[in-house]
């Protein structure tokens, strides 16, 4: 079966303030990289708009209503101290990020494709139940996990996050939920300050923090000693991946030293786990990655492994 790429031209909208690292060019370089001949076999679908009700699977009614009411007719509305912002196109963009994630999950669970990559922006894993932060407004991956449970009858969902920043929002949503495993490698200390080994939820949270300067060897150790054994014990019915590429050695927002090859290794390890536990069902959703060359190279490595199956 094919790998699905979910994309949409609107992901090149959501214009951020000058100099902001989370910028439209991120989507453009990903789209250009995946337009090359090695990816001709990708099934491609444009991201659908999510129904607003699906955001309430994770976010409170108050938060969703206030965010909708904050949509500006012009200029910017700044959230969370200024790093996270909305402009007139943002609302459609973030609803397509949610919609594209749910769409990918629907296709994979139905067996129409083997796995999927959702090339959306802005990222989502910092968005908490009632708080936008870290460039994130809606938590795409968390909403996707709840969607899989509510609409497809899946019980055990595993979320693996290898962004350089800890997915505090995803952890917060599922911290007391034994049916969702959250596992993360990330640099610590670094924004947002969460992600200590001691943060274990109800035995469903597995943080494997890395230190500034750590590279592929430390990433492999974290996966082989902590995350992959946790996946084996949990035996998920679906694996979701918060695929952030800002742990790349070129990235300006972190100090880890990963290469595109390292992201390929992680992807292969997760595909092997998916094959072992859930018939290969895996959906990856783009999170961070702010050096354009590093992002493009890493996405090529990541999606290249997905295509191999």
């Amino acid at each position: 079966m094919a790998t699905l790429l979910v994309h949409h031209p609107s992901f090149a909208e959501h214009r951020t303030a000058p100099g902001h690292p989370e910028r439209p060019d991120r989507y453009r370089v990903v789209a250009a990289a995946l337009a090359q001949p090695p990816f001709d076999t990708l099934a491609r679908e444009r991201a659908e708009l999510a129904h607003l009700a699906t955001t309430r699977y994770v976010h409170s009614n108050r938060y969703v209503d206030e965010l909708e009411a904050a949509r500006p007719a012009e200029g910017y509305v700044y959230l969370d101290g200024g790093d996270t912002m909305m402009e007139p196109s943002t609302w459609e963009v973030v609803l397509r990020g949610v919609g594209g994630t749910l769409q990918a999950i629907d296709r994979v669970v139905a067996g129409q494709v083997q796995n999927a990559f959702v090339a959306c922006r802005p990222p989502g894993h910092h968005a908490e139940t009632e708080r936008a932060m870290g460039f994130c407004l809606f938590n795409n991956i968390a909403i996707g996990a709840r969607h899989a449970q509510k609409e497809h009858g899946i019980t055990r969902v595993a979320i693996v996050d290898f962004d350089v920043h800890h997915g505090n929002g995803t952890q917060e949503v599922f911290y007391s939920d034994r049916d969702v495993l959250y596992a993360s490698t990330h640099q610590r200390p670094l924004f947002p300050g969460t992600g200590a080994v001691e943060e274990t939820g109800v035995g469903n949270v597995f943080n494997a923090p890395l230190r500034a300067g750590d590279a592929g060897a430390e990433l492999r150790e974290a996966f082989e000693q902590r995350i992959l054994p946790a996946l084996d014990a949990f035996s998920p019915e679906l694996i979701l991946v918060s695929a952030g590429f800002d742990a790349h050695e070129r990235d300006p927002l972190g100090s880890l030293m990963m290469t595109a090859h390292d992201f390929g290794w992680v992807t292969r390890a997760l595909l092997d786990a998916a094959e072992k536990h859930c018939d290969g069902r895996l959906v990856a959703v783009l999170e961070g990655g702010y050096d354009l060359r590093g992002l493009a190279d890493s996405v090529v490595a990541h999606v290249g492994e997905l295509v191999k199956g």
Side-chain angles (χ1 to χ4, degrees):
M1 283 191 290
T3 292
L4 173 65
L5 170 64
V6 179
H7 64 104
H8 199 279
S10 71
F11 293 135
E13 299 298 325
H14 177 55
R15 294 170 293 275
T16 48
H20 197 289
E22 207 298 289
R23 58 204 190 277
D25 281 345
R26 296 185 63 236
Y27 174 75
R28 295 187 183 109
V29 300
V30 168
L34 297 180
Q36 300 304 309
F39 300 103
D40 288 345
T41 61
L42 286 172
R44 298 171 187 264
E45 294 184 9
R46 288 193 170 196
E48 300 167 354
L49 274 173
H51 295 292
L52 190 59
T54 61
T55 67
R56 304 179 196 271
Y57 290 166
V58 163
H59 300 288
S60 70
N61 288 330
R62 180 177 68 178
Y63 174 76
V64 174
D65 293 344
E66 289 180 354
L67 198 63
E68 183 179 24
R71 292 182 295 170
E74 57 183 330
Y76 293 105
V77 168
Y78 291 90
L79 311 167
D80 185 45
D83 281 344
T84 310
M85 61 196 68
M86 300 175 71
E87 49 90 22
S89 70
T90 300
W91 191 247
E92 175 186 344
V93 176
V94 295
L95 284 179
R96 286 199 189 277
V98 174
T101 301
L102 305 190
Q103 181 179 345
I105 290 169
D106 289 344
R107 301 292 185 268
V108 168
V109 172
Q112 296 169 339
V113 295
Q114 182 61 64
N115 53 52
F117 178 69
V118 185
C120 60
R121 59 169 290 272
H125 69 156
H126 294 308
E128 297 182 344
T129 305
E130 291 196 318
R131 183 183 180 190
M133 65 181 292
F135 317 156
C136 306
L137 282 76
F138 288 133
N139 194 317
N140 302 313
I141 208 93
I143 296 168
R146 283 285 182 248
H147 173 78
Q149 292 175 322
K150 290 176 178 289
E151 301 301 326
H152 295 290
I154 287 175
T155 300
R156 298 183 310 282
V157 180
I159 300 172
V160 180
D161 187 335
F162 53 73
D163 194 278
V164 79
H165 304 100
H166 182 246
N168 59 290
T170 310
Q171 177 174 291
E172 182 246 357
V173 170
F174 298 115
Y175 202 68
S176 300
D177 189 338
R178 297 183 187 277
D179 291 329
V180 178
L181 177 145
Y182 178 70
S184 175
T185 55
H186 48 275
Q187 182 179 331
R188 180 176 165 87
L190 192 67
F191 176 90
T194 52
V197 171
E198 295 78 17
E199 297 165 17
T200 58
V202 287
N204 64 319
V205 174
F206 296 84
N207 288 310
L210 304 172
R211 295 170 297 203
D214 281 354
E218 290 80 13
L219 180 70
R220 286 168 172 76
E221 182 179 3
F223 267 83
E224 290 173 345
Q225 294 191 6
R226 186 159 176 81
I227 292 178
L228 296 176
L231 284 174
D232 285 341
F234 184 69
S235 190
E237 297 166 73
L238 174 68
I239 295 177
L240 303 180
V241 181
S242 274
F245 300 104
D246 40 7
H248 192 279
E249 62 187 1
R250 292 177 54 93
D251 202 275
L253 298 193
S255 303
L256 296 182
M257 302 301 290
M258 309 310 166
T259 65
H261 178 77
D262 296 320
F263 292 118
W265 181 90
V266 167
T267 306
R268 174 52 47 194
L270 293 174
L271 286 168
D272 289 346
E275 190 64 37
K276 181 177 181 180
H277 296 292
C278 48
D279 297 322
R281 298 191 299 192
L282 181 149
V283 175
V285 181
L286 181 62
E287 300 282 4
Y290 304 101
D291 176 83
L292 298 181
R293 178 178 153 193
L295 173 60
D297 290 348
S298 300
V299 167
V300 164
H302 176 66
V303 179
E305 291 297 329
L306 296 182
V307 169
K308 292 175 189 176

